[in-house]
Amino acid sequence: MDILQQLIYGFEVVLTPENLAAALIGCLAGTIVGVLPGLGPTAGAAVLLPLTFTLGPVAGLIMIAAIYYGVQYGGSLTSVLLNIPGETSSVMTTVDGYQLTRQGRAGAALFIMTIGSFIAATVAVILVTWIGPPVAEFAINFGPPEFLALAVIGLIFLVRIMGGSLASGLIPMVIGLALGTVAMDAVSGTNRLEFGIPALAQGIDVVAVAVGVFGIAEVMRLVADDARLPTPQKVRMRDLRPTREDVRRSWAPWGRGTITGFIFGLLPGPGPTVSTFVAYKFERIFSKNRDQLGKGAIEGIASPEAANNAAATSGMVPLLSLGIPFTPVLALMVAAMMIQGVTPGPLLSVQHPEIFWGVIASMYIGNVVLVILNLPLIGVWVRLLQIPRSILISVITVVSIVGTYALNSSMLDVIVLVLAGVLGYVLSHYGYHMAPLALGLILGPFAERYLREGLFISQGDVTYFVTSPIAAVLWVLLVLGLVAQAVFSMRARRAGRTLVEVVPE
Amino acid sequence: MTAEPLETASPSAPEGRGNRGRMIISAVTVLGGFGLVAASWGVERGDLAHPGPGLYPLVVGVLAILAGATGLVEERRSATAVASPPVSADPKPWIFVAAMLVGIIALPTLGYLMSALITGTAVSWAAGQRTWWKALLTGAVLAVVSSLIFRDLLDVYLPASVLDELI
């Protein structure tokens, strides 16, 4: 079947009441999570993840995907109105967005932002439609050496690109890897590291850990942070109309942002966040109105917003085509797939075309839904910011607990939730990054599987993992990437500057 | 494009914050690594040609030792040992955890509705709602709405409670 036919099949899958409802609820939830400062996309997706298991696999995955890209739309609202980024991927939007608000042009800024997000996400999903299947087809030839290389690259790059000291990412990563070792061995049936607790034979539930380290830990930070949000400026529907000049100046930044974001989304690491910084940098270099950047230039929001949406969308390519998640939220999608009995990987489009094409088709629909949600309902989102913190925290906590309990009707999962929350809070208090922990927990078992498979096949010859041409290229890219990052860091330190630390969601 | 793509003037990184805390975490990671190595020693490791289930935990244990050691070295060398409050300095998050635990402990014995009511009320209070009846109202609404959504709409099994007959 050619790609267009498969895409039409995807729309047939999505256009059912259950899947459409999942897309709508996911977009709504993602926008709400994005609007509320303090609650990141990973925390939001983690808290809502258990709910998706009550749905079928297609609907569940559509919902999580919708939350992920929905957050990119909502996160910029507070950046513009309050100078407070809703998400890390909205940080750059505060620079010019809030200046526009102070100039009485919040409505125009929000309009440009939303339309730019829509255009970028739509272009990106079209590219995903055409790039995803060939990548999956190519990856069918991958074996244990290639997959092991990809898993290791994903882990190591995430550790390094988060910034800060090496240990800030490495220690959480090994904690995640260690948690993934607790379970009965699938190959030999041997009990492993269960410490006499029968319930641990199934392993430590990755969802309970994710909800804990991202959801509960985030809530603990919210409890600790007494700061109140300032009152946002009212924005009426008629204020949303931009000038012709605004639109004319936005086309090129939208285009640059889209390309930048799409490329960064394909790479390991927090693509949406990193892409916004790079996109803004590009505007400083290429924009005709670069002297106005920082003072309320429309380019300063058009480009980063396009970038973060394009990156969130293109991140689906490695996930759907290779089964390798490069961000924590996508790692949650992998966890969701596994729990639903779906094996992620290059064969997903062959074994589960309804999931592969259903998720892609849902992104087209989701983008339209998000424009409808974000523009006419801006007044609603502004009111959402006035919800008392105690209510918000109570809702998140109860949903986290009941959602986690609902996984396996197990109190062990709830205990893991609380312990993981405390762990996440303590580690993040001292500056450690949680994203490598999530990826370590999810990619660790994959890495073990490919390592053992490879050693079985090669009869113990470890050079098997580097002699495959594709794997060799991947390892070389990893080394080059690490060397380049080390060189940049050294040059920055010598010049007395520091690299920004990309804080996880 | 300049050579430092993510350059910025003022880092938001909490580098050096809680230096003592980071050293403790690094040390615990090293100890945990040794523990993992010891625990995996009792599991069959096989050989390279036929790796057993004990091989991977052994590798992870060694990685943990190295990661913890890296953390210790980095903290010893860090020039920015800024004094900072320990994680236990602010009691509010820990009161929140205690509030959560009160409700969780009630779950298997008192059932979901009661547990959610207790959790919602206690957490609302811990999160800053000092008017007791508002906290209770928050807990009650949360308990009822979440029960209706999970039990009735999503068909999720939740432990029965004495309050079930009220809704």
Side-chain angles (χ1 to χ4, degrees):
Chain A
M1 275 206 289
D2 73 347
I3 287 176
L4 208 51
Q5 268 185 305
Q6 289 169 319
L7 182 61
I8 291 171
Y9 167 68
F11 277 107
E12 285 173 8
V13 168
V14 174
L15 292 173
T16 61
E18 187 192 20
N19 292 337
L20 275 177
L24 178 64
I25 293 169
C27 288
L28 195 61
T31 304
I32 292 171
V33 167
V35 165
L36 294 169
L39 194 65
T42 312
V47 167
L48 294 169
L49 186 63
L51 298 182
T52 66
F53 301 136
T54 58
L55 307 168
V58 179
L61 290 167
I62 285 175
M63 187 185 284
I64 299 174
I67 292 170
Y68 181 49
Y69 53 79
V71 160
Q72 311 305 327
Y73 277 78
S76 306
L77 189 77
T78 52
S79 296
V80 170
L81 295 180
L82 299 174
N83 200 27
I84 297 171
E87 315 303 331
T88 52
S89 56
S90 310
V91 167
M92 291 317 298
T93 306
T94 60
V95 177
D96 285 276
Y98 189 61
Q99 294 304 317
L100 283 163
T101 296
R102 293 178 67 184
Q103 294 165 18
R105 306 202 58 229
L110 292 171
F111 183 92
I112 293 294
M113 209 172 71
T114 305
I115 297 302
S117 298
F118 172 74
I119 292 173
T122 303
V123 169
V125 79
I126 291 171
L127 290 173
V128 167
T129 305
W130 294 95
I131 290 175
V135 170
E137 219 172 287
F138 177 70
I140 284 174
N141 299 314
F142 283 11
E146 289 81 11
F147 282 117
L148 180 65
L150 281 171
V152 171
I153 285 172
L155 286 168
I156 291 181
F157 260 126
L158 190 64
V159 165
R160 289 318 295 139
I161 206 160
M162 301 311 288
S165 68
L166 184 57
S168 295
L170 205 53
I171 286 178
M173 186 192 82
V174 296
I175 292 174
L177 292 175
L179 290 175
T181 63
V182 177
M184 182 188 297
D185 180 45
V187 175
S188 61
T190 308
N191 287 338
R192 192 170 73 174
L193 304 170
E194 289 149 33
F195 306 108
I197 303 172
L200 285 178
Q202 304 302 319
I204 293 177
D205 199 295
V206 62
V207 175
V209 173
V211 179
V213 297
F214 293 111
I216 298 298
E218 192 69 54
V219 171
M220 289 175 74
R221 278 191 289 276
L222 283 174
V223 169
D225 180 8
D226 277 333
R228 297 200 184 285
L229 288 176
T231 307
Q233 188 188 78
K234 269 192 188 162
V235 178
R236 296 163 300 190
M237 277 292 290
R238 58 173 180 265
D239 295 333
L240 293 174
R241 205 184 329 158
T243 63
R244 276 195 190 163
E245 176 72 6
D246 289 334
V247 177
R248 189 189 61 76
R249 283 170 61 172
S250 298
W251 284 110
W254 282 338
R256 287 191 286 266
T258 300
I259 295 169
T260 305
F262 189 84
I263 292 170
F264 274 89
L266 296 173
L267 305 174
T273 302
V274 172
S275 67
T276 59
F277 288 97
V278 177
Y280 197 86
K281 200 78 172 173
F282 277 143
E283 291 310 305
R284 279 207 182 143
I285 298 167
F286 296 114
S287 173
K288 286 179 188 163
N289 303 296
R290 62 181 84 90
D291 55 323
Q292 294 176 29
L293 285 168
K295 301 170 194 165
I298 209 76
E299 292 87 346
I301 56 167
S303 185
E305 282 304 304
N308 72 24
N309 280 272
T313 306
S314 67
M316 296 291 177
V317 172
L319 174 73
L320 294 174
S321 303
L322 303 175
I324 303 283
F326 283 154
T327 68
V329 177
L330 297 177
L332 293 178
M333 281 189 71
V334 169
M337 281 189 207
M338 284 158 32
I339 291 171
Q340 297 268 20
V342 175
T343 307
L347 293 176
L348 184 69
S349 59
V350 174
Q351 292 173 345
H352 295 281
E354 73 282 5
I355 290 177
F356 188 93
W357 290 106
V359 170
I360 289 178
S362 74
M363 291 196 278
Y364 286 93
I365 295 171
N367 278 323
V368 174
V369 169
L370 283 163
V371 171
I372 295 168
L373 282 178
N374 276 271
L375 284 180
L377 297 182
I378 274 180
V380 174
W381 306 131
V382 169
R383 282 208 195 89
L384 202 64
L385 294 169
Q386 306 298 303
I387 289 180
R389 187 183 289 260
S390 60
I391 292 178
L392 178 65
I393 288 170
S394 304
V395 170
I396 295 170
T397 306
V398 169
V399 169
S400 297
I401 292 173
V402 69
T404 303
Y405 180 82
L407 290 170
N408 301 301
S409 298
S410 164
M411 285 305 295
L412 177 66
D413 290 336
V414 180
I415 293 166
V416 167
L417 168 80
V418 176
L419 292 175
V422 170
L423 176 69
Y425 176 70
V426 171
L427 288 177
S428 58
H429 177 87
Y430 288 111
Y432 293 93
H433 304 303
M434 290 301 100
L437 191 153
L439 248 69
L441 182 58
I442 288 165
L443 288 182
F446 282 114
E448 178 186 9
R449 189 181 112 194
Y450 299 132
L451 177 68
R452 287 171 74 178
E453 270 180 23
L455 288 172
F456 268 123
I457 292 169
S458 66
Q459 285 297 293
D461 180 11
V462 294
T463 60
Y464 172 70
F465 292 101
V466 296
T467 47
S468 146
I470 296 171
V473 167
L474 290 171
W475 290 118
V476 167
L477 285 174
L478 171 62
V479 170
L480 287 176
L482 290 175
V483 167
Q485 203 267 346
V487 166
F488 288 152
S489 293
M490 255 186 332
R491 286 178 62 182
R493 265 199 300 274
R494 277 191 197 141
R497 295 186 293 263
T498 56
L499 292 176
V500 69
E501 178 164 308
V502 179
V503 181
E505 295 87 356
Chain B
M1 190 173 164
T2 57
E4 294 87 10
L6 303 180
E7 177 192 325
T8 191
S10 53
S12 60
E15 203 60 63
R17 186 178 89 170
N19 205 337
R20 185 161 172 266
R22 288 176 67 96
M23 289 199 71
I24 292 173
I25 289 171
S26 300
V28 169
T29 304
V30 171
L31 290 174
F34 278 114
L36 194 53
V37 167
S40 65
W41 212 257
V43 183
E44 196 209 322
R45 290 180 305 286
D47 53 33
L48 275 184
H50 303 94
L55 177 66
Y56 180 69
L58 182 66
V59 169
V60 173
V62 170
L63 284 175
I65 294 168
L66 292 173
T70 303
L72 285 171
V73 168
E74 282 180 341
E75 293 311 314
R76 284 299 296 262
R77 285 185 177 176
S78 171
T80 56
V82 177
S84 67
V87 71
S88 55
D90 184 353
K92 293 195 292 294
W94 306 107
I95 295 171
F96 161 78
V97 172
M100 229 186 358
L101 286 172
V102 166
I104 287 170
I105 288 167
L107 181 59
T109 47
L110 298 180
Y112 176 71
L113 259 187
M114 200 67 183
S115 165
L117 171 64
I118 294 170
T119 306
T121 304
V123 166
S124 180
W125 179 85
Q129 180 50 264
R130 288 295 181 259
T131 307
W132 70 267
W133 65 266
K134 284 185 182 174
L136 187 60
L137 184 63
T138 301
V141 170
L142 257 179
V144 170
V145 171
S146 61
S147 177
L148 289 171
I149 290 174
F150 279 89
R151 186 175 286 158
D152 298 335
L153 195 63
L154 298 176
D155 206 24
V156 170
Y157 165 75
L158 294 172
S161 165
V162 293
L163 297 177
D164 283 353
E165 294 186 13
L166 294 178
I167 63 165

